Amino acid sequence: MSLNVIFMGTPKFSIPSLEELIKNNFNIVTVYTQPPKKSKRGQRINISEVEEFSRKKKLNIRNPINLNNDEELKIFKDLRPDVVVVVAYGQIIPKKFLEISKFGFINIHASLLPKWRGAAPIQRAIMNGEKKIGVSIMKIEEKLDSGPVLSSEEIQLNQNLTYGEIEPKLSILGASLLIKTLQKLKNGKAEFKNQAQAEATYAKKISKNETRINWNLDAEVVMAHIHGLSPTPGAWFEYKGDRFKILKVSKSLSNGKPGTVMDENLTISCKSNSVQILELQKEGKNKQTAREFLLGNKISKDESLA
């Protein structure tokens, strides 16, 4: 007999897991996702990527503004889920919901717990220069990302890749691991392992005041900062009153005064070694390769970007 699943997710990261549940014949009783949002100018209503996908698959959808009310609790209970799968839903699940389903709420978290609990685990792992990254599937408890882990899988973290390139890899990895984990739950073979709470680290949300590039750091640190924030929100520098986001770099062994342009290929010196800009984006413009950018813009050797 197939498990009855409530799925809770919102961004593109969530979709591979929902897709795998459908492919493996789990019964999706309802999909919960965040409500539509108005565009910045208020002229369009934007539904979540999960809602768009769910409409195409003709799934039942709910998108309450707030779960924390008796009416929503009753609706949730009446759905009688065997398990609730949460993948980047974007809203805290109230405590009174957590005991409703037979197997509880399980969450795909994009880190190797107990490392990097919280809102920005992939970004923080890259920015911290981690050698490994991965996904963990855990049971949701009241405290943030603290529940027992059912399964996890790790991959090597290539520092030449950006957040935008690594995130979909982890999304697919998590979706595959989810199916294996649900089969174990269904067959009574899942093992819950408590996290080592003393080893926990936290991936706080990225703030605007940490996005400006500091060239007075080693090239490896600057590169990790840039790649961890690419493509959004983006690490940036200012040049002649304009703001430029750097989206991708490579490391160079050349040295000079931090923040100085070292050649005609946009190699920028750091505290030690340097980074060569490969992709960047001027504020309000589309992203470009460094070569494309230099066709219409000139940043000369020995100029300072600090």
Side-chain angles (χ1 to χ4, degrees), residues 139-207:
K139 186 174 183 180
I140 294 180
E141 294 187 344
E142 190 175 9
K143 191 176 177 182
L144 179 68
D145 297 333
S146 65
V149 174
L150 287 85
S151 54
S152 63
E153 194 164 339
E154 67 180 37
I155 58 173
Q156 293 296 313
L157 179 50
N158 183 344
Q159 289 291 333
N160 291 309
L161 297 180
T162 66
Y163 161 60
E165 293 167 326
I166 292 169
E167 186 188 46
K169 294 177 184 292
L170 294 182
S171 175
I172 293 167
L173 184 68
S176 174
L177 190 61
L178 171 67
I179 301 305
K180 296 173 188 176
T181 305
L182 288 177
Q183 295 292 358
K184 288 180 180 179
L185 267 178
K186 182 180 174 183
N187 297 328
K189 295 182 179 179
E191 294 184 20
F192 293 83
K193 295 182 180 179
N194 290 328
Q195 295 184 42
Q197 305 296 340
E199 297 175 11
T201 58
Y202 290 87
K204 65 179 181 178
K205 186 177 179 181
I206 304 296
S207 64

Side-chain angles (χ1 to χ4, degrees), residues 58-303:
K58 295 181 168 52
L59 300 173
N60 294 323
I61 301 165
R62 285 196 62 76
N63 45 26
I65 295 173
N66 193 333
L67 292 173
N68 204 9
N69 60 77
D70 292 338
E71 179 185 358
E72 202 58 52
L73 180 64
K74 182 181 184 305
I75 291 169
F76 208 94
K77 284 181 177 178
D78 289 345
L79 292 171
R80 300 176 183 273
D82 293 313
V83 65
V84 182
V85 174
V86 183
V87 187
Y89 176 50
Q91 192 176 143
I92 294 174
I93 312 295
K95 182 180 179 181
K96 54 190 174 184
F97 279 69
L98 296 180
E99 300 301 324
I100 289 175
S101 66
K102 179 180 178 181
F103 295 112
F105 285 61
I106 66 169
N107 173 242
I108 299 178
H109 185 72
S111 82
L112 299 170
L113 292 169
K115 271 196 165 185
W116 304 121
R117 297 174 178 176
I122 305 173
Q123 296 98 316
R124 295 294 177 190
I126 298 169
M127 292 166 71
N128 197 54
E130 301 285 357
K131 303 300 182 187
K132 295 179 180 179
I133 199 167
V135 292
S136 301
I137 297 183
M138 63 168 186
K139 186 174 183 180
I140 294 180
E141 294 187 344
E142 190 175 9
K143 191 176 177 182
L144 179 68
D145 297 333
S146 65
V149 174
L150 287 85
S151 54
S152 63
E153 194 164 339
E154 67 180 37
I155 58 173
Q156 293 296 313
L157 179 50
N158 183 344
Q159 289 291 333
N160 291 309
L161 297 180
T162 66
Y163 161 60
E165 293 167 326
I166 292 169
E167 186 188 46
K169 294 177 184 292
L170 294 182
S171 175
I172 293 167
L173 184 68
S176 174
L177 190 61
L178 171 67
I179 301 305
K180 296 173 188 176
T181 305
L182 288 177
Q183 295 292 358
K184 288 180 180 179
L185 267 178
K186 182 180 174 183
N187 297 328
K189 295 182 179 179
E191 294 184 20
F192 293 83
K193 295 182 180 179
N194 290 328
Q195 295 184 42
Q197 305 296 340
E199 297 175 11
T201 58
Y202 290 87
K204 65 179 181 178
K205 186 177 179 181
I206 304 296
S207 64
K208 289 182 179 180
N209 63 10
E210 60 182 316
T211 54
R212 184 165 190 161
I213 297 167
N214 181 358
W215 302 109
N216 290 294
L217 299 172
D218 294 340
E220 293 88 347
V221 179
V222 173
M223 182 174 178
H225 179 235
I226 289 168
H227 285 177
L229 299 180
S230 176
T232 56
W236 57 275
F237 67 90
E238 276 189 349
Y239 177 71
K240 293 185 177 179
D242 291 319
R243 182 174 292 194
F244 297 83
K245 289 199 298 187
I246 302 181
L247 302 176
K248 195 157 191 173
V249 296
S250 62
K251 184 183 170 184
S252 171
L253 297 179
S254 53
N255 285 280
K257 184 179 178 182
T260 300
V261 180
M262 303 191 68
D263 56 29
E264 303 302 322
N265 297 313
L266 287 184
T267 301
I268 316 300
S269 182
C270 303
K271 180 181 178 182
S272 67
N273 300 321
S274 53
V275 295
Q276 182 182 350
I277 299 174
L278 303 178
E279 293 181 3
L280 71 167
Q281 183 176 15
K282 186 176 180 179
E283 191 170 30
K285 303 293 184 180
N286 294 326
K287 75 173 183 178
Q288 295 177 296
T289 65
R291 181 174 293 180
E292 290 168 339
F293 171 81
L294 289 169
L295 290 175
N297 300 271
K298 186 169 178 61
I299 298 180
S300 302
K301 184 181 176 182
D302 297 327
E303 289 196 76

Side-chain angles (χ1 to χ4, degrees), residues 1-5 21-22 24-29 80-83 102-103 182-183 186:
M1 185 179 71
S2 178
L3 293 176
N4 292 327
V5 177
L21 289 169
I22 295 167
N24 286 273
N25 299 314
F26 288 89
N27 181 30
I28 313 296
V29 292
R80 300 176 183 273
D82 293 313
V83 65
K102 179 180 178 181
F103 295 112
L182 288 177
Q183 295 292 358
K186 182 180 174 183

